[in-house]
Amino acid sequence: MSGNVPDAPRIEFPCQYPIKVIGTAGDDFADLVISIVEQHAPGVDRTTVDVRDSRNGRFLSVRLVMTATGHDQLQALHADLKASGRVQMVL
């Protein structure tokens, strides 16, 4: 192989886009994440949101599916989540 990396698969928008947000545990963390996501993608189905504690209880992960409309939307969402000061990682 020559070391060339194949092109990443292209996302067709709009689409259902799964997102996982990991951050500092707290009673309001899931609500904070959902409110930020809804600013960029209104209509998150709260019944499908999955919140889990880390093993040591210091962190929470919030998984949800949103309607993604484009790369700009996703970049702005990631920036706002990180700007909250409570988000450690967005996957």
Side-chain angles (χ1 to χ4, degrees):
M1 293 189 81
S2 62
N4 291 339
V5 177
D7 291 334
R10 298 199 48 86
I11 299 173
E12 297 288 329
F13 294 104
C15 66
Q16 292 301 104
Y17 188 83
I19 187 170
K20 179 178 180 181
V21 182
I22 300 169
T24 309
D27 291 341
D28 63 338
F29 183 70
D31 289 333
L32 171 73
V33 169
I34 292 168
S35 70
I36 293 171
V37 170
E38 285 197 323
Q39 291 173 21
H40 298 274
V44 171
D45 182 355
R46 291 176 180 255
T47 64
T48 64
V49 174
D50 181 33
V51 180
R52 296 184 187 216
D53 289 313
S54 65
R55 198 173 337 164
N56 62 12
R58 288 183 54 218
F59 299 101
L60 285 179
S61 71
V62 179
R63 295 178 192 208
L64 56 90
V65 177
M66 58 176 265
T67 301
T69 58
H71 291 288
D72 291 343
Q73 174 206 36
L74 295 175
Q75 288 177 338
L77 170 61
H78 281 72
D80 284 354
L81 286 167
K82 293 296 269 181
S84 73
R86 301 214 19 222
V87 173
Q88 304 295 318
M89 191 179 314
V90 181
L91 305 170

